Amino acid sequence: MSDVYEQDGVPFPEREQPKEERLEPVIPAKGFFLAGFWIRFWAYIIDLIVIGSVTRLLVTPVFKLLDIPMGSSMFAPYTILTTIVFYAYFVLMTKFFHQTLGKMVFGVKVVGIKGQKLDWGTVLFRELIGRFITGTFFLLYAVVAFTTKKQGIHDLFADTTVVQEKRKMEFTPAQI
């Protein structure tokens, strides 16, 4: 296509070329969509299934093989080891991937409320202390439904929140 157009038989090089209109979804470059209570709840249920499966596949057989009594007290070796697996799962997955397997399934991740990178102190505080408190008083998980930034108690303590991952939808028109 030539850069020179004619208007009434006279060349008109300054005229703008017609712009092609592209059909692309409007996705803001900055900002996040917050993950609400229910999506976080279901992600947590999946995480509990994963942790329970890991415990039953790795920890329980070792105790049975070595004939170590599992016990039911809070200070039994089995209880201590399963608690370590529980907290290690959340700490390590959040630190290295910003999400657990349950969050991956639902496409959500943990971010700092001010955009800061999640450091070890933040992750440990959120996942150890925050989860201990909300695990002790389970109804505190419902706080997520009522805060403006969809933060749980553990998020409020650590200045974090859970957001939906941004996925750009791409559309490729058919070639005719």
Side-chain angles (χ1 to χ4, degrees), residues 97-125:
F97 301 106
H98 296 268
Q99 54 192 171
T100 59
L101 291 175
K103 287 181 179 76
M104 287 179 191
V105 168
F106 288 101
V108 296
K109 66 180 180 177
V110 180
V111 296
I113 200 76
K114 297 175 186 168
Q116 74 273 23
K117 187 177 178 183
L118 296 179
D119 60 2
W120 279 107
T122 302
V123 171
L124 289 173
F125 200 74

Side-chain angles (χ1 to χ4, degrees), residues 30-37 39-40 43 94 97-100 102-116 118 126 144 148-152 154-155 159-167:
K30 295 190 181 221
F32 295 103
F33 295 100
L34 297 169
F37 173 80
I39 196 166
R40 291 175 67 166
T94 302
F97 301 106
H98 296 268
Q99 54 192 171
T100 59
K103 287 181 179 76
M104 287 179 191
V105 168
F106 288 101
V108 296
K109 66 180 180 177
V110 180
V111 296
I113 200 76
K114 297 175 186 168
Q116 74 273 23
L118 296 179
R126 180 184 193 274
V144 172
T148 57
K149 294 179 184 163
K150 304 296 182 197
Q151 294 174 287
H154 55 292
D155 290 316
D159 287 333
T160 59
T161 191
V162 178
V163 298
Q164 296 180 15
E165 289 183 302
K166 308 286 269 165
R167 292 197 175 113

Side-chain angles (χ1 to χ4, degrees), residues 17-169:
Q17 294 182 7
K19 293 184 179 180
E20 292 182 24
E21 212 174 297
R22 299 183 79 186
L23 298 175
E24 290 185 21
V26 178
I27 299 174
K30 295 190 181 221
F32 295 103
F33 295 100
L34 297 169
F37 173 80
W38 288 109
I39 196 166
R40 291 175 67 166
F41 172 79
W42 291 114
Y44 184 67
I45 295 297
I46 289 175
D47 289 331
L48 291 179
I49 292 169
V50 168
I51 293 166
S53 300
V54 167
T55 301
R56 285 177 188 83
L57 288 172
L58 299 176
V59 178
T60 304
V62 171
F63 273 76
K64 291 194 184 248
L65 183 67
L66 298 175
D67 200 28
I68 301 171
M70 290 196 219
S72 60
S73 82
M74 191 167 80
F75 298 107
Y78 182 78
T79 306
I80 292 170
L81 194 55
T82 56
T83 302
I84 290 170
V85 169
F86 177 85
Y87 285 112
Y89 170 80
F90 282 106
V91 168
L92 296 175
M93 292 295 290
T94 302
K95 174 59 182 158
F96 293 114
F97 301 106
H98 296 268
Q99 54 192 171
T100 59
L101 291 175
K103 287 181 179 76
M104 287 179 191
V105 168
F106 288 101
V108 296
K109 66 180 180 177
V110 180
V111 296
I113 200 76
K114 297 175 186 168
Q116 74 273 23
K117 187 177 178 183
L118 296 179
D119 60 2
W120 279 107
T122 302
V123 171
L124 289 173
F125 200 74
R126 180 184 193 274
E127 299 299 341
L128 291 179
I129 297 169
R131 280 207 191 272
F132 178 76
I133 291 170
T134 51
T136 305
F137 305 104
F138 195 71
L139 288 177
L140 291 178
Y141 273 113
V143 170
V144 172
F146 302 106
T147 57
T148 57
K149 294 179 184 163
K150 304 296 182 197
Q151 294 174 287
I153 296 294
H154 55 292
D155 290 316
L156 291 168
F157 289 152
D159 287 333
T160 59
T161 191
V162 178
V163 298
Q164 296 180 15
E165 289 183 302
K166 308 286 269 165
R167 292 197 175 113
K168 184 177 176 183
M169 294 173 33

